[in-house]
Amino acid sequence: CANDAENDADSDLTCGNIDSCMYDSENDIDSDVMCGNVDSCRLDADNDADSDGICGDVDVCPFDPENDDDSDRLCGDVDSCRHDSDNDVDSDQVCGDVDSCRFDAANDVDVDNICGDVDSCEFDAENDADGDVLCGGVDSCAHDSENDADGDVLCGDVDSCPFDADNDADSDQLCAPLDSCVDDIENDADSDFVCGN
């Protein structure tokens, strides 16, 4: 190389006086206008685009600085839930890492602080208040564990005579079965063991 004092220093068969990368035998192989001898990522045209210290040609996630932080095999730049390996398993548009009910798509619809996937009464905020194994949404008497025992269409919690279907028919303020004379307001006033006079 007549005009090259180093006589083709990089041995690329291009004399230094006309070689755009006189110390890079591959002559900027990644075409990033940075010669390989000074290019920190000589095979990565984006030169570590995500600045994670891993060149793009060997970076599993070249545009994700956290390199698939949740290990779900989706790089953060294309992962809708970057920190949720289940990727919103309940499909409620809330990623699991910030979803208070990660397996309940309704997100505690009855607002009782129990997620639906473990809430025995998902749509009953009181969670079967009367303990009769019927949730409020299907329990006709949500606060009466005996569910209108006397069948008078009045739930026990509001029925003045919860075990008297006639609700003190004689108005003597005694409910059956305590009223020995259910149709006698005077309750055998003459004490002859026969109701009524």
PDB file of all heavy atoms in Angstrom, residues 26 47 50-51 54 57 79 82 111 117 121 124 144-145 148 157 159 163 173 175 182-183 196:
ATOM      1  N   GLU A  26     -13.367  -6.114   9.425  1.00  0.00           N
ATOM      2  CA  GLU A  26     -14.717  -6.397   8.918  1.00  0.00           C
ATOM      3  C   GLU A  26     -15.392  -5.123   8.397  1.00  0.00           C
ATOM      4  O   GLU A  26     -16.526  -5.195   7.917  1.00  0.00           O
ATOM      5  CB  GLU A  26     -15.560  -7.046  10.018  1.00  0.00           C
ATOM      6  CG  GLU A  26     -15.001  -8.412  10.426  1.00  0.00           C
ATOM      7  CD  GLU A  26     -15.727  -9.027  11.602  1.00  0.00           C
ATOM      8  OE1 GLU A  26     -15.902  -8.341  12.633  1.00  0.00           O
ATOM      9  OE2 GLU A  26     -16.125 -10.189  11.484  1.00  0.00           O
ATOM     10  N   ASN A  47     -26.461  -0.851  18.740  1.00  0.00           N
ATOM     11  CA  ASN A  47     -25.526  -0.631  19.849  1.00  0.00           C
ATOM     12  C   ASN A  47     -26.196  -0.658  21.226  1.00  0.00           C
ATOM     13  O   ASN A  47     -26.215   0.326  21.941  1.00  0.00           O
ATOM     14  CB  ASN A  47     -24.756   0.680  19.650  1.00  0.00           C
ATOM     15  CG  ASN A  47     -23.789   0.564  18.500  1.00  0.00           C
ATOM     16  OD1 ASN A  47     -23.005  -0.376  18.449  1.00  0.00           O
ATOM     17  ND2 ASN A  47     -23.875   1.493  17.559  1.00  0.00           N
ATOM     18  N   ASP A  50     -31.429  -1.062  24.334  1.00  0.00           N
ATOM     19  CA  ASP A  50     -32.118  -0.947  25.618  1.00  0.00           C
ATOM     20  C   ASP A  50     -31.191  -0.604  26.787  1.00  0.00           C
ATOM     21  O   ASP A  50     -31.610  -0.554  27.941  1.00  0.00           O
ATOM     22  CB  ASP A  50     -32.908  -2.219  25.931  1.00  0.00           C
ATOM     23  CG  ASP A  50     -32.044  -3.473  25.984  1.00  0.00           C
ATOM     24  OD1 ASP A  50     -30.806  -3.380  25.941  1.00  0.00           O
ATOM     25  OD2 ASP A  50     -32.633  -4.565  26.095  1.00  0.00           O
ATOM     26  N   SER A  51     -29.928  -0.370  26.478  1.00  0.00           N
ATOM     27  CA  SER A  51     -28.928   0.052  27.470  1.00  0.00           C
ATOM     28  C   SER A  51     -28.838  -0.867  28.686  1.00  0.00           C
ATOM     29  O   SER A  51     -28.702  -0.418  29.817  1.00  0.00           O
ATOM     30  CB  SER A  51     -29.211   1.484  27.942  1.00  0.00           C
ATOM     31  OG  SER A  51     -29.198   2.362  26.855  1.00  0.00           O
ATOM     32  N   ILE A  54     -26.025  -5.486  27.326  1.00  0.00           N
ATOM     33  CA  ILE A  54     -25.956  -6.699  26.501  1.00  0.00           C
ATOM     34  C   ILE A  54     -26.216  -6.282  25.064  1.00  0.00           C
ATOM     35  O   ILE A  54     -27.277  -5.713  24.756  1.00  0.00           O
ATOM     36  CB  ILE A  54     -26.996  -7.754  26.937  1.00  0.00           C
ATOM     37  CG1 ILE A  54     -26.818  -8.104  28.425  1.00  0.00           C
ATOM     38  CG2 ILE A  54     -26.886  -9.008  26.093  1.00  0.00           C
ATOM     39  CD1 ILE A  54     -27.941  -8.930  29.007  1.00  0.00           C
ATOM     40  N   ASP A  57     -27.111  -8.393  19.409  1.00  0.00           N
ATOM     41  CA  ASP A  57     -26.909  -9.641  18.679  1.00  0.00           C
ATOM     42  C   ASP A  57     -26.909 -10.853  19.617  1.00  0.00           C
ATOM     43  O   ASP A  57     -27.106 -11.979  19.163  1.00  0.00           O
ATOM     44  CB  ASP A  57     -25.602  -9.596  17.860  1.00  0.00           C
ATOM     45  CG  ASP A  57     -24.387  -9.313  18.719  1.00  0.00           C
ATOM     46  OD1 ASP A  57     -24.421  -8.369  19.526  1.00  0.00           O
ATOM     47  OD2 ASP A  57     -23.388 -10.044  18.553  1.00  0.00           O
ATOM     48  N   ASP A  79     -44.693  -7.331  26.017  1.00  0.00           N
ATOM     49  CA  ASP A  79     -45.442  -8.005  27.084  1.00  0.00           C
ATOM     50  C   ASP A  79     -46.399  -7.003  27.706  1.00  0.00           C
ATOM     51  O   ASP A  79     -45.979  -6.005  28.285  1.00  0.00           O
ATOM     52  CB  ASP A  79     -44.447  -8.518  28.139  1.00  0.00           C
ATOM     53  CG  ASP A  79     -45.070  -9.449  29.162  1.00  0.00           C
ATOM     54  OD1 ASP A  79     -46.314  -9.515  29.230  1.00  0.00           O
ATOM     55  OD2 ASP A  79     -44.304 -10.104  29.892  1.00  0.00           O
ATOM     56  N   ARG A  82     -45.672  -6.737  32.014  1.00  0.00           N
ATOM     57  CA  ARG A  82     -44.216  -6.909  32.117  1.00  0.00           C
ATOM     58  C   ARG A  82     -43.772  -7.587  33.397  1.00  0.00           C
ATOM     59  O   ARG A  82     -42.717  -8.195  33.443  1.00  0.00           O
ATOM     60  CB  ARG A  82     -43.517  -5.555  32.033  1.00  0.00           C
ATOM     61  CG  ARG A  82     -43.722  -4.829  30.743  1.00  0.00           C
ATOM     62  CD  ARG A  82     -43.183  -3.418  30.809  1.00  0.00           C
ATOM     63  NE  ARG A  82     -41.760  -3.411  31.081  1.00  0.00           N
ATOM     64  CZ  ARG A  82     -40.849  -2.931  30.254  1.00  0.00           C
ATOM     65  NH1 ARG A  82     -41.229  -2.400  29.126  1.00  0.00           N
ATOM     66  NH2 ARG A  82     -39.591  -2.960  30.577  1.00  0.00           N
ATOM     67  N   VAL A 111     -67.657  -6.451  46.951  1.00  0.00           N
ATOM     68  CA  VAL A 111     -66.893  -5.521  47.782  1.00  0.00           C
ATOM     69  C   VAL A 111     -66.880  -5.934  49.260  1.00  0.00           C
ATOM     70  O   VAL A 111     -67.156  -5.142  50.159  1.00  0.00           O
ATOM     71  CB  VAL A 111     -67.406  -4.064  47.630  1.00  0.00           C
ATOM     72  CG1 VAL A 111     -66.403  -3.074  48.187  1.00  0.00           C
ATOM     73  CG2 VAL A 111     -67.689  -3.734  46.190  1.00  0.00           C
ATOM     74  N   ASP A 117     -62.758 -15.852  43.611  1.00  0.00           N
ATOM     75  CA  ASP A 117     -62.260 -17.207  43.435  1.00  0.00           C
ATOM     76  C   ASP A 117     -62.184 -17.971  44.758  1.00  0.00           C
ATOM     77  O   ASP A 117     -62.112 -19.194  44.761  1.00  0.00           O
ATOM     78  CB  ASP A 117     -60.893 -17.207  42.733  1.00  0.00           C
ATOM     79  CG  ASP A 117     -59.843 -16.410  43.474  1.00  0.00           C
ATOM     80  OD1 ASP A 117     -60.136 -15.270  43.873  1.00  0.00           O
ATOM     81  OD2 ASP A 117     -58.724 -16.927  43.642  1.00  0.00           O
ATOM     82  N   CYS A 121     -69.617 -16.847  48.799  1.00  0.00           N
ATOM     83  CA  CYS A 121     -70.783 -16.113  48.313  1.00  0.00           C
ATOM     84  C   CYS A 121     -70.279 -14.915  47.510  1.00  0.00           C
ATOM     85  O   CYS A 121     -70.251 -13.773  48.001  1.00  0.00           O
ATOM     86  CB  CYS A 121     -71.644 -15.660  49.481  1.00  0.00           C
ATOM     87  SG  CYS A 121     -72.478 -17.003  50.345  1.00  0.00           S
ATOM     88  N   ASP A 124     -72.579 -11.843  47.375  1.00  0.00           N
ATOM     89  CA  ASP A 124     -73.227 -11.502  48.641  1.00  0.00           C
ATOM     90  C   ASP A 124     -72.192 -10.844  49.543  1.00  0.00           C
ATOM     91  O   ASP A 124     -71.321 -11.512  50.088  1.00  0.00           O
ATOM     92  CB  ASP A 124     -73.779 -12.784  49.286  1.00  0.00           C
ATOM     93  CG  ASP A 124     -74.373 -12.576  50.661  1.00  0.00           C
ATOM     94  OD1 ASP A 124     -74.506 -11.418  51.093  1.00  0.00           O
ATOM     95  OD2 ASP A 124     -74.713 -13.581  51.304  1.00  0.00           O
ATOM     96  N   ASP A 144     -82.405 -14.685  58.239  1.00  0.00           N
ATOM     97  CA  ASP A 144     -83.183 -15.666  59.000  1.00  0.00           C
ATOM     98  C   ASP A 144     -82.632 -17.044  58.671  1.00  0.00           C
ATOM     99  O   ASP A 144     -82.873 -17.580  57.593  1.00  0.00           O
ATOM    100  CB  ASP A 144     -84.662 -15.560  58.596  1.00  0.00           C
ATOM    101  CG  ASP A 144     -85.536 -16.650  59.191  1.00  0.00           C
ATOM    102  OD1 ASP A 144     -85.073 -17.375  60.093  1.00  0.00           O
ATOM    103  OD2 ASP A 144     -86.698 -16.772  58.741  1.00  0.00           O
ATOM    104  N   SER A 145     -81.886 -17.628  59.604  1.00  0.00           N
ATOM    105  CA  SER A 145     -81.230 -18.911  59.319  1.00  0.00           C
ATOM    106  C   SER A 145     -82.236 -20.043  59.110  1.00  0.00           C
ATOM    107  O   SER A 145     -81.913 -21.063  58.524  1.00  0.00           O
ATOM    108  CB  SER A 145     -80.266 -19.274  60.451  1.00  0.00           C
ATOM    109  OG  SER A 145     -80.967 -19.443  61.663  1.00  0.00           O
ATOM    110  N   ASP A 148     -87.902 -18.490  57.150  1.00  0.00           N
ATOM    111  CA  ASP A 148     -89.362 -18.444  57.311  1.00  0.00           C
ATOM    112  C   ASP A 148     -89.880 -19.817  57.740  1.00  0.00           C
ATOM    113  O   ASP A 148     -90.661 -20.461  57.034  1.00  0.00           O
ATOM    114  CB  ASP A 148     -90.031 -17.954  56.019  1.00  0.00           C
ATOM    115  CG  ASP A 148     -91.525 -17.743  56.177  1.00  0.00           C
ATOM    116  OD1 ASP A 148     -91.988 -17.595  57.325  1.00  0.00           O
ATOM    117  OD2 ASP A 148     -92.232 -17.749  55.156  1.00  0.00           O
ATOM    118  N   ASP A 157     -86.482 -12.740  60.994  1.00  0.00           N
ATOM    119  CA  ASP A 157     -85.887 -11.537  61.579  1.00  0.00           C
ATOM    120  C   ASP A 157     -86.868 -10.365  61.623  1.00  0.00           C
ATOM    121  O   ASP A 157     -86.632  -9.380  62.321  1.00  0.00           O
ATOM    122  CB  ASP A 157     -84.609 -11.143  60.824  1.00  0.00           C
ATOM    123  CG  ASP A 157     -84.842 -10.883  59.349  1.00  0.00           C
ATOM    124  OD1 ASP A 157     -85.586 -11.652  58.706  1.00  0.00           O
ATOM    125  OD2 ASP A 157     -84.253  -9.914  58.817  1.00  0.00           O
ATOM    126  N   ASP A 159     -90.507 -11.239  61.615  1.00  0.00           N
ATOM    127  CA  ASP A 159     -91.766 -11.899  61.969  1.00  0.00           C
ATOM    128  C   ASP A 159     -91.914 -11.868  63.487  1.00  0.00           C
ATOM    129  O   ASP A 159     -91.087 -12.410  64.216  1.00  0.00           O
ATOM    130  CB  ASP A 159     -91.725 -13.346  61.466  1.00  0.00           C
ATOM    131  CG  ASP A 159     -93.068 -14.040  61.547  1.00  0.00           C
ATOM    132  OD1 ASP A 159     -93.959 -13.535  62.250  1.00  0.00           O
ATOM    133  OD2 ASP A 159     -93.208 -15.101  60.916  1.00  0.00           O
ATOM    134  N   PHE A 163     -92.551 -18.748  64.607  1.00  0.00           N
ATOM    135  CA  PHE A 163     -92.939 -20.162  64.518  1.00  0.00           C
ATOM    136  C   PHE A 163     -94.459 -20.331  64.540  1.00  0.00           C
ATOM    137  O   PHE A 163     -94.979 -21.395  64.843  1.00  0.00           O
ATOM    138  CB  PHE A 163     -92.283 -20.963  65.657  1.00  0.00           C
ATOM    139  CG  PHE A 163     -90.778 -20.880  65.620  1.00  0.00           C
ATOM    140  CD1 PHE A 163     -90.099 -20.072  66.509  1.00  0.00           C
ATOM    141  CD2 PHE A 163     -90.059 -21.585  64.667  1.00  0.00           C
ATOM    142  CE1 PHE A 163     -88.716 -19.963  66.453  1.00  0.00           C
ATOM    143  CE2 PHE A 163     -88.686 -21.484  64.611  1.00  0.00           C
ATOM    144  CZ  PHE A 163     -88.005 -20.668  65.507  1.00  0.00           C
ATOM    145  N   GLN A 173    -101.214 -11.666  72.200  1.00  0.00           N
ATOM    146  CA  GLN A 173     -99.787 -11.440  72.374  1.00  0.00           C
ATOM    147  C   GLN A 173     -99.042 -12.705  72.803  1.00  0.00           C
ATOM    148  O   GLN A 173     -97.987 -12.634  73.416  1.00  0.00           O
ATOM    149  CB  GLN A 173     -99.531 -10.286  73.344  1.00  0.00           C
ATOM    150  CG  GLN A 173    -100.082  -8.991  72.799  1.00  0.00           C
ATOM    151  CD  GLN A 173     -99.765  -7.794  73.668  1.00  0.00           C
ATOM    152  OE1 GLN A 173     -99.173  -7.915  74.718  1.00  0.00           O
ATOM    153  NE2 GLN A 173    -100.187  -6.630  73.196  1.00  0.00           N
ATOM    154  N   CYS A 175     -97.752 -16.200  70.889  1.00  0.00           N
ATOM    155  CA  CYS A 175     -97.593 -16.881  69.605  1.00  0.00           C
ATOM    156  C   CYS A 175     -97.655 -18.389  69.831  1.00  0.00           C
ATOM    157  O   CYS A 175     -97.236 -18.895  70.882  1.00  0.00           O
ATOM    158  CB  CYS A 175     -96.243 -16.536  68.980  1.00  0.00           C
ATOM    159  SG  CYS A 175     -96.006 -14.770  68.653  1.00  0.00           S
ATOM    160  N   VAL A 182    -105.026 -20.970  70.713  1.00  0.00           N
ATOM    161  CA  VAL A 182    -104.633 -20.065  69.622  1.00  0.00           C
ATOM    162  C   VAL A 182    -105.782 -19.245  69.063  1.00  0.00           C
ATOM    163  O   VAL A 182    -105.544 -18.210  68.445  1.00  0.00           O
ATOM    164  CB  VAL A 182    -103.925 -20.834  68.479  1.00  0.00           C
ATOM    165  CG1 VAL A 182    -102.597 -21.390  68.953  1.00  0.00           C
ATOM    166  CG2 VAL A 182    -104.807 -21.913  67.903  1.00  0.00           C
ATOM    167  N   ASP A 183    -107.050 -19.672  69.291  1.00  0.00           N
ATOM    168  CA  ASP A 183    -108.185 -18.906  68.792  1.00  0.00           C
ATOM    169  C   ASP A 183    -109.007 -18.307  69.927  1.00  0.00           C
ATOM    170  O   ASP A 183    -110.144 -17.903  69.736  1.00  0.00           O
ATOM    171  CB  ASP A 183    -109.079 -19.805  67.915  1.00  0.00           C
ATOM    172  CG  ASP A 183    -108.368 -20.219  66.639  1.00  0.00           C
ATOM    173  OD1 ASP A 183    -107.724 -19.354  66.023  1.00  0.00           O
ATOM    174  OD2 ASP A 183    -108.425 -21.409  66.266  1.00  0.00           O
ATOM    175  N   GLY A 196    -111.980 -21.136  74.693  1.00  0.00           N
ATOM    176  CA  GLY A 196    -113.203 -20.413  74.348  1.00  0.00           C
ATOM    177  C   GLY A 196    -114.239 -20.567  75.452  1.00  0.00           C
ATOM    178  O   GLY A 196    -114.182 -21.465  76.282  1.00  0.00           O
TER     179      GLY A 196
END
